[in-house]
Each structure stands twice: as C-alpha cells, then as structure tokens.
Amino acid sequence: MRIKHFIIVISIFLVSSQSMICQEKITWDHLAKVTFTEKYFPAWDTYFLYPHYKESVKQLEGKKITISGYFLDVDPEGKLFLISKNPMASCFFCGGAGPETAMEVQFKKMQKFKTDDVVTFTGILKLNPDDPEHFNYILTEAVGRFK
C-alpha cells in the first residue's frame, strides 16, 4: 500500500512540474525582438508592416506562454480582444507604439474583463507574419486572470 501511495505522489509531482516547465513567462521585451518592412497586400490595395521575427521569438511559437499587460476590448461587436504593453490611451492604435506591443487574445472560454484592466494571460503563442486581418502575435486558448 505504501508503494502505491509513493507512486501516486511521484506521479502528481512529475505532472505538476512538467506543466510548470512547459509554460514560459515572457515580457514585452521578448516580443520587441522583431523588425518590420512594408509589404503590399493586393486584397486590401494597401501596405502593411510585415514582421521579421528574431530567432528568439520564433522559438516561442507554439509554446505555452504567460504575459501580463492591459486588456483592450477594441471591437464594438465583442469579437476582437487584445492584451497590450500599454493602456488604451497609449496603445498601438492611439499612442504611436509599435505592433509588437499588442497581442490578439483568442479565449479558450470567454472571460469578462474591462478595457485597461491589468491582466495576466496564459495561452499558446502563434506568430502571424502575413494575415492583415489579425495581429502579428496571437494568443490562442487564452485564459486570463487579474494581475
């Protein structure tokens, strides 16, 4: 019976330590390792900033990450949500910050936050170099909490 309990305790430890290892806490400085060039998108008949991710950013793609910032609800229809390095008044759209300072959030299960709530999100990072309908950084399966 003792061996069975020992195996259960060790199994719980291994599972919990693995989930801690698989999650990487990043900062906005990590995401700033990107440069941009203008690229023409014929479907929109305009130019957009095309990201060139540094290798350290590319290595984060598909990984479970955690990042903190300001929640932005920018879509009146409630379909586009962001986490930003800056609050709404000085975010990518309003304050002249770069596109690397905002990340699209795709919830695992819809959660309610208000604009400029300080939050921490965990999810899977997706790099988006060429779809102008989405942000350059997308956090899928996102789960948030107040910081």
Side-chain angles (χ1 to χ4, degrees):
M1 193 59 122
R2 291 180 120 170
I3 292 175
K4 186 176 180 180
H5 284 100
F6 177 74
I7 291 172
I8 291 171
V9 169
I10 293 298
S11 297
I12 290 170
F13 172 76
L14 290 174
V15 168
S16 64
S17 65
Q18 172 130 2
S19 67
M20 291 173 13
I21 292 169
C22 293
Q23 179 177 312
E24 189 166 341
K25 184 170 175 129
I26 66 167
T27 67
W28 294 101
D29 289 339
H30 289 98
L31 301 179
K33 294 180 172 85
V34 61
T35 57
F36 296 93
T37 56
E38 287 190 347
K39 179 179 177 183
Y40 180 72
F41 285 85
W44 292 67
D45 191 29
T46 192
Y47 287 86
F48 287 94
L49 292 176
Y50 180 83
H52 301 278
Y53 304 107
K54 303 289 185 199
E55 191 59 37
S56 61
V57 174
K58 289 179 184 178
Q59 290 175 0
L60 294 171
E61 182 164 27
K63 291 189 178 175
K64 190 174 191 176
I65 61 142
T66 297
I67 191 163
S68 297
Y70 295 88
F71 181 77
L72 304 179
D73 182 356
V74 295
D75 181 8
E77 296 179 18
K79 294 182 181 178
L80 177 63
F81 306 98
L82 307 175
I83 184 169
S84 174
K85 177 181 179 181
N86 304 308
M88 179 68 97
S90 58
C91 76
F92 169 48
F93 300 110
C94 306
E100 73 280 2
T101 63
M103 180 183 298
E104 184 174 332
V105 174
Q106 297 176 351
F107 287 104
K108 184 174 187 174
K109 181 180 175 187
M110 190 60 192
Q111 293 181 265
K112 293 273 186 183
F113 296 103
K114 294 179 187 170
T115 294
D116 286 341
D117 280 346
V118 178
V119 293
T120 298
F121 276 103
T122 299
I124 308 299
L125 181 64
K126 177 182 175 189
L127 303 181
N128 175 34
D130 54 13
D131 182 353
E133 294 190 23
H134 292 277
F135 278 70
N136 297 133
Y137 296 112
I138 303 170
L139 193 64
T140 64
E141 300 180 35
V143 176
R145 67 182 189 282
F146 290 101
K147 185 172 178 199

